[in-house]
């Protein structure tokens, strides 16, 4: 029976990323093993020639020698090669070895200087083997140069290594480099054969040149500073100088014999790998140098001709850190370095080149699970040519960009910012729709908005600007904007001044189209105007709401006895003529022995605030009987808020006190932190960072557990207790803390009344205060 073909399952992005990481590690391990095997094979070949052994007997003899002498096989193999003067490939480059004398000089110095020279010779041989192995396994000249630098030259203090190939016209082409920037490499990409060049002098004389304090006079060579030490060595193949190697140091340095000997030895493998391949001469050196100066990750992608497959041409240092699991990321296919993001990056890259416009994504991949590779945040893809694109991103979410996206999701809300120094302005996309302007139109600064408003609204705008520029404090107003199509929109403007060193440098804020709300208010007003005795009914309704509020949150309640706690609660209404608000508190014993302690604040005042407060307070009371944690209760209460009439927003603290272990498990939804008084020292509890109620759906809330001790006093309150018009919140909270520490002895009710008297806000907002003492 033949089963139908179900197709092949595509690997998940996280599986692909794990596979790439594993393959990269395996490749590095294979290269190390190949380099070791190459070194051992060369030493075995020397033993075959010297002792007339078979290859297998020579390998066994080498192993026995290592076991007998206690010297690692690699070191012993390097000693055999150094002592024999045999080149790494049998019979190859005899003329080169004779010209340079590298092996014989290394042998003589090893005999004279003992262990130090022997270690240097061993390191040189291991480096040669690793470099040749990297070249044979597909490594670029740049990767091989990195191997030479890290393995043999960096211990000598060398900063950078330059490998130049000699062309048919005696021009020097930079084939590979390590330890130098892309900008330096781009500057020395080609060196023509002009007179007096130290590089061409070495090429012509076929002898090394040593510059302990940099080149003499006005001569120039690659390097970090004019007086930095350099060494220029000819590279020979079959007795012919085919190129040059240049090593530079960070500064002046005495180039003694051991350094010269090590450099001369490493020139031999450098000559052999010079023709392994060259960097693409079309690589954007200046662009790569620019990306290297950025503090955020950036890389250059290049599309292969014909196939369009993307490979990575360059990564700056932060981007290399993001791709840390892949060795030699530059030059690899995009799918090998960023497998989880590759499909989305390919889509954005194609769109950027097709439309010749930047493409953006908030995060790649969009779905991120625990254990996945770190995502790329705020991704921007910019086309910079027919086959190249630049990809910029952040390692973490940028709060500014995230806020702009949040504003974009809110209906009829737009952000703006005016730079008063440069005279420029920025609008989000929604602002153009609110004012009925083409997105290509330059943004209009707030101070020049009057011509686009109804003539009766200029006074409101002037008052707003006076608050921002003269008093330098935030303000808001509602104006009528006249659109070019003749439409009239009611726009709320909320703005804040931007100060730099005490100087007003800009204005930032939001525009909100409130036309629908305004029309609703007009309709409601017209309806009330047609009702008889509307004023009497409104007064009666207002009185009923006050009675309802007092029944729910009395100013001085009579609290029942609670397990393990003493409780005092106070409610202070707002101004006399406007006594209804959205503050509430609740202290309720639960069937499981715990005690619910809650404080909340509905935004605004009036009947809607009171009705919303009643809904939330009663909902929380009912939900608390489920026995769930404060975090879960907050999540449910958020959904209740979203479905409450008027869509209010609110802050709240929900706590469950367990008298069994005197622990307080609590969660906060954007509310002010509770104050703990212990041994007459007051401190604020650090609240979890949760969003306020009614802001977004399906929000998750975190909670914390605070252990309490006998005699501890905990205070939960609303903002009306501390907020003042001309005082920062931090200063107001500090005043509350100091007042709590000055309360002195006394009963809990007495101390609560003293605190309510000594700490008073001036924003005409109502206040709720709950004070509990652990028995």
């Amino acid at each position: 029976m033949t089963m139908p073909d179900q197709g092949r399952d595509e690997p998940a992005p996280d599986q692909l990323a794990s596979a790439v990481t594993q393959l990269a590690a395996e490749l590095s391990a294979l290269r190390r093993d190949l380099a070791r095997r190459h070194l051992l094979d060369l030493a075995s070949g020397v033993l075959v020639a010297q002792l007339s052994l078979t290859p297998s007997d020579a390998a066994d003899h080498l192993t026995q020698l290592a076991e007998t002498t206690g010297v690692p096989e690699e070191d012993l193999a390097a000693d055999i090669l150094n002592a024999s003067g045999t080149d790494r490939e049998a019979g190859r480059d005899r003329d080169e070895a004779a010209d340079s004398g590298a092996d014989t000089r290394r042998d003589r110095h090893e005999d004279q200087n003992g262990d130090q020279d022997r270690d240097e010779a061993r390191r040189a041989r291991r480096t040669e083997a690793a470099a040749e192995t990297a070249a044979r396994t597909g490594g670029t000249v740049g990767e091989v140069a990195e191997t030479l630098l890290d393995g043999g030259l960096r211990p000598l203090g060398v900063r950078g290594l330059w490998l130049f190939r000699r062309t048919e016209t005696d021009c020097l082409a930079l084939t590979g480099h390590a330890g130098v920037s892309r900008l330096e490499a781009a500057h020395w990409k080609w060196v023509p054969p002009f007179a007096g060049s130290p590089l061409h002098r070495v090429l012509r004389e076929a002898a090394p040149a040593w510059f302990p304090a940099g080149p003499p006079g006005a001569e120039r060579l690659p390097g970090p500073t004019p007086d930095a030490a350099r060494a220029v060595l000819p590279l020979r193949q079959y007795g012919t100088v085919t190129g040059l190697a240049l090593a530079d140091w960070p500064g002046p340095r005495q180039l003694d014999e051991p350094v010269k000997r090590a450099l001369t030895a490493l020139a031999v493998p450098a000559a052999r790998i010079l023709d392994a391949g060259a960097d693409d001469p079309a690589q954007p050196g200046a662009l790569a140098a620019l990306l290297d100066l950025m503090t955020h990750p950036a890389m250059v992608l290049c599309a292969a001709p014909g196939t369009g497959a993307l490979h990575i041409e360059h990564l700056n240092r932060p981007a290399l850190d993001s791709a840390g699991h892949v060795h030699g990321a530059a030059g690899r296919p995009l799918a090998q370095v960023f497998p989880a993001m590759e499909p989305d990056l390919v889509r954005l890259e194609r769109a950027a080149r097709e439309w010749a416009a930047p493409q953006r994504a908030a995060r790649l991949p969009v779905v991120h699970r625990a254990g996945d590779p770190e995502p790329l945040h705020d991704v921007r893809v910019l086309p910079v040519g027919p086959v190249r694109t630049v990809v910029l991103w952040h390692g973490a979410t940028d709060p500014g960009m995230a806020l702009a996206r949040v504003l974009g999701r809110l209906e009829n809300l737009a952000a703006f910012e005016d730079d008063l120094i440069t005279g420029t302005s920025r609008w989000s996309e929604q602002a153009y729709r609110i004012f009925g302007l083409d997105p290509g139109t330059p943004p209009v600064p707030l101070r020049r908005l009057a011509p686009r408003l109804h003539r009766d609204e200029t006074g409101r705008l002037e008052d707003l600007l006076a608050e921002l520029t003269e008093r330098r404090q935030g303000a808001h107003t509602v104006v009528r904007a006249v659109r070019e199509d003749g439409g009239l929109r009611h726009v709320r403007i909320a703005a804040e001044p931007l100060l730099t060193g005490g100087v007003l440098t800009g204005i930032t804020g939001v525009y909100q189209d409130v036309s629908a709300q305004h029309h609703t208010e007009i309709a409601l007003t017209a309806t009330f105007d047609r009702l008889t005795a509307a004023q009497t009914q409104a007064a009666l309704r207002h009185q009923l709401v006050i009675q309802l509020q007092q029944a729910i949150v009395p100013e001085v309640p009579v609290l029942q006895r609670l397990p393990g706690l003493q409780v005092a609660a106070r409610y202070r209404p707002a101004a006399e003529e406007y006594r209804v608000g959205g503050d509430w508190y609740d202290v309720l014993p639960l069937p499981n022995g715990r005690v619910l302690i809650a404080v909340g604040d509905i935004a605004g005042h009036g009947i809607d605030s009171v009705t919303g407060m009643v809904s939330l307070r009663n909902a929380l009371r009912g939900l608390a009987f489920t026995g769930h944690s404060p975090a879960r209760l907050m999540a449910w209460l958020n959904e209740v808020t979203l479905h409450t009439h008027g869509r209010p927003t609110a802050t709240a603290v929900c706590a469950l006190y367990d008298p069994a272990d005197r622990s307080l498990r609590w969660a906060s939804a954007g509310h002010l932190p509770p104050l703990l008084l212990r041994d007459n020292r007051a401190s604020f509890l650090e609240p979890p960072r949760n969003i306020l109620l009614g802001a977004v759906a399906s929000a998750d809330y975190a909670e914390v557990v605070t252990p309490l001790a006998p005699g501890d006093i905990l205070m939960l309150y609303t903002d009306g207790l501390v907020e003042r018009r001309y005082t920062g919140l931090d200063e107001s909270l500090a005043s509350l803390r100091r007042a709590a520490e000055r309360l002195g002895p006394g009963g809990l009710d007495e101390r609560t009344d003293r605190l309510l008297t000594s700490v008073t806000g001036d924003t005409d907002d109502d206040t709720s205060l709950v004070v509990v003492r652990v028995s």
Side-chain angles (χ1 to χ4, degrees):
M1 179 178 180
T2 302
M3 298 297 292
D5 185 10
Q6 300 296 329
R8 185 181 302 173
D9 293 335
E10 294 292 336
D14 53 344
Q15 295 174 335
L16 186 58
S18 177
V20 169
T21 303
Q22 183 177 356
L23 289 174
E26 290 177 359
L27 178 60
S28 298
L30 285 173
R31 280 185 172 176
R32 290 193 299 270
D33 186 65
L34 284 174
R36 176 180 177 276
R37 177 50 54 192
H38 180 66
L39 194 63
L40 297 180
D41 288 345
L42 290 176
S44 297
V46 172
L47 294 178
V48 167
Q50 292 181 348
L51 304 179
S52 301
L53 300 174
T54 64
S56 60
D57 290 340
D60 292 340
H61 184 64
L62 181 62
T63 302
Q64 292 174 1
L65 284 175
E67 293 176 353
T68 302
T69 60
V71 178
E73 279 191 90
E74 295 94 328
D75 290 346
L76 187 59
D79 290 342
I80 292 173
L81 292 173
N82 291 331
S84 68
T86 302
D87 196 70
R88 287 184 293 175
E89 295 183 11
R92 184 179 175 185
D93 292 339
R94 296 290 185 180
D95 293 337
E96 175 186 335
D99 290 338
S100 65
D103 291 334
T104 56
R105 284 196 300 272
R106 183 163 51 225
D107 292 340
R108 286 198 303 270
H109 281 279
E110 183 177 335
D111 292 336
Q112 297 170 2
N113 299 329
D115 292 342
Q116 181 178 359
D117 289 342
R118 184 182 298 109
D119 291 341
E120 292 177 3
R122 289 172 176 172
R123 183 173 64 245
R125 281 296 184 183
R126 289 196 296 268
T127 303
E128 292 173 21
E132 188 163 343
T133 300
R136 290 183 176 182
T137 55
T140 64
V141 178
E143 289 180 327
V144 178
E146 288 282 359
T147 300
L148 291 174
L149 179 64
D150 292 337
L153 299 180
R154 207 179 295 279
L156 304 176
V158 174
R159 179 203 73 123
L161 175 64
W162 310 69
L163 299 178
F164 293 93
R165 182 191 294 112
R166 183 180 192 175
T167 68
E168 294 178 356
T169 59
D170 277 347
C171 186
L172 291 172
L174 183 62
T175 304
H177 54 84
V180 301
S181 71
R182 290 271 179 166
L183 186 59
E184 291 178 276
H187 184 74
W188 291 95
K189 195 70 179 176
W190 296 95
V191 183
F194 53 85
S197 166
L199 291 174
H200 284 85
R201 189 161 60 246
V202 173
L203 192 68
R204 184 174 60 255
E205 297 175 357
W210 312 97
F211 304 101
E219 293 183 340
R220 297 183 60 200
L221 283 176
T225 59
D227 62 346
R230 279 109 159 154
V232 184
L233 298 95
L235 303 180
R236 296 182 178 85
Q237 284 279 70
Y238 305 106
T240 302
V241 178
T242 58
L244 297 177
L246 184 147
D248 67 59
W249 282 260
R253 178 189 174 98
Q254 183 64 38
L255 302 180
D256 52 18
E257 282 304 316
V259 171
K260 292 181 180 180
R261 187 168 61 251
L263 288 171
T264 305
L266 290 177
V268 177
R272 293 205 181 97
I273 56 91
L274 194 61
D275 295 324
D279 294 338
D280 181 8
Q283 284 187 356
L287 176 60
L290 177 63
L291 299 185
D292 286 340
L293 296 177
M294 299 180 63
T295 58
H296 295 302
M299 67 179 172
V300 180
L301 298 180
C302 186
T307 65
L310 295 178
H311 68 272
I312 296 176
E313 197 167 64
H314 176 69
L315 301 96
N316 66 359
R317 175 53 58 187
L320 283 170
D321 294 339
S322 296
H325 61 282
V326 179
H327 175 72
R332 293 183 180 273
L334 176 64
Q336 290 185 9
V337 182
F338 295 106
M341 303 79 172
E342 190 261 352
D344 293 316
L345 283 175
V346 168
R347 173 179 53 80
L348 293 175
E349 190 272 345
R350 290 176 179 172
R353 287 196 289 118
E354 179 179 355
W355 297 102
Q359 303 295 311
R360 296 174 179 269
R363 187 177 69 185
L364 296 181
V366 177
V367 179
H368 181 259
R369 298 183 298 273
D372 288 354
E374 286 298 320
L376 312 183
H377 298 272
D378 301 319
V379 181
R380 288 138 289 162
V381 181
L382 296 82
V384 292
V387 297
R388 285 185 174 85
T389 48
V390 171
V391 182
L392 310 172
W393 70 92
H394 290 77
T397 303
D398 186 323
M401 292 185 176
L403 178 59
R405 292 195 298 270
V406 170
L407 292 177
R409 294 189 183 100
L410 297 178
E411 186 177 2
N412 300 327
L413 199 63
F416 72 90
E417 182 175 336
D418 296 344
D419 190 328
L420 302 182
I421 303 300
T422 63
T424 59
S425 298
R426 290 191 300 170
W427 277 8
S428 65
E429 182 181 352
Q430 292 76 13
Y432 292 95
R433 292 201 293 266
I434 290 176
F435 290 97
L437 297 178
D438 189 335
T441 305
V444 181
L446 184 63
R447 63 185 182 280
R448 298 179 183 172
L449 197 63
R452 298 193 175 274
L453 303 182
H454 191 279
R455 60 179 178 271
D456 295 337
E457 305 292 356
T458 56
R460 291 177 178 269
L461 180 62
E462 291 173 357
D463 292 341
L464 176 65
L465 290 172
E467 289 286 331
L468 295 169
T469 59
E470 296 175 11
R471 300 178 183 84
R472 298 187 181 182
Q473 62 183 18
H476 66 91
T477 188
V478 178
V479 296
R480 288 172 290 174
V482 181
R483 296 158 56 104
E484 292 185 351
D485 58 8
L488 189 69
R489 311 297 294 177
H490 288 77
V491 180
R492 175 180 285 115
I493 307 174
E496 287 284 337
L498 299 178
L499 302 176
T500 303
V503 178
L504 180 67
T505 58
I507 298 173
T508 186
V510 294
Y511 297 123
Q512 184 182 19
D513 187 346
V514 293
S515 301
Q517 300 176 26
H518 180 75
H519 296 155
T520 302
E521 291 173 1
I522 292 177
L524 289 174
T525 302
T527 301
F528 280 116
D529 287 342
R530 289 194 298 267
L531 295 176
T532 59
Q535 188 173 10
T536 304
Q537 292 180 18
L540 178 60
R541 185 182 180 191
H542 189 72
Q543 184 62 33
L544 291 174
V545 170
I546 291 177
Q547 294 175 358
L548 173 63
Q549 184 187 50
Q550 291 177 345
I552 298 297
V553 283
E555 296 185 17
V556 181
V558 178
L559 297 174
Q560 57 183 303
R561 186 175 183 83
L562 298 172
L565 290 177
Q566 292 177 292
V567 182
R570 299 290 185 269
Y571 173 76
R572 182 170 61 198
E576 288 293 330
E577 66 275 13
Y578 199 61
R579 295 173 58 88
V580 290
D583 283 19
W584 90 87
Y585 63 84
D586 202 356
V587 181
L588 179 67
L590 300 176
N592 57 12
R594 297 174 181 173
V595 179
L596 170 68
I597 307 170
V599 169
D601 185 2
I602 296 282
H605 294 84
I607 295 173
D608 289 340
S609 297
V610 173
T611 55
M613 173 270 290
V614 174
S615 299
L616 297 190
R617 182 179 184 274
N618 290 341
L620 181 58
R621 275 200 156 205
L623 293 171
F625 279 87
T626 63
H628 280 276
S629 66
R632 188 60 183 145
L633 296 181
M634 279 295 194
W636 282 335
L637 195 61
N638 179 60
E639 298 301 321
V640 173
T641 309
L642 289 168
H643 293 83
T644 299
H645 175 70
R647 294 293 297 271
T649 58
T651 66
V653 173
C654 174
L656 291 178
Y657 175 73
D658 190 342
D661 58 1
R662 296 191 180 94
S663 63
L664 187 78
R665 184 178 297 271
W666 60 286
S668 174
H671 202 78
L672 295 175
L675 181 65
L676 177 63
L677 183 64
R678 175 178 290 172
D679 298 330
N680 291 326
R681 295 297 301 272
S683 60
F684 290 101
L685 302 183
E686 182 66 26
R689 297 184 178 275
N690 295 326
I691 195 168
L692 74 166
L693 301 173
V696 296
S698 303
D700 292 328
Y701 289 84
E703 64 181 34
V704 295
V705 177
T706 301
L708 299 179
D712 284 355
I713 296 178
L714 187 69
M715 304 174 188
L716 285 72
Y717 52 93
T718 57
D719 52 9
L721 179 66
V722 296
E723 283 190 344
R724 302 184 67 83
R725 289 187 178 90
Y726 306 109
T727 304
L729 182 57
D730 290 342
E731 185 178 346
S732 298
L733 291 175
S735 298
L736 173 61
R737 179 177 55 79
R738 290 191 296 268
E741 292 177 344
R742 293 194 302 264
L743 287 178
L748 191 62
D749 285 314
E750 179 186 355
R751 299 173 79 177
T752 301
D753 291 334
R754 286 206 301 265
L755 180 65
L756 197 62
T757 302
S758 60
V759 181
T760 305
D762 64 357
T763 58
D764 292 333
D765 197 3
D766 45 352
T767 299
S768 290
L769 173 64
V770 176
V771 180
V772 298
R773 179 164 58 191
V774 180
S775 300

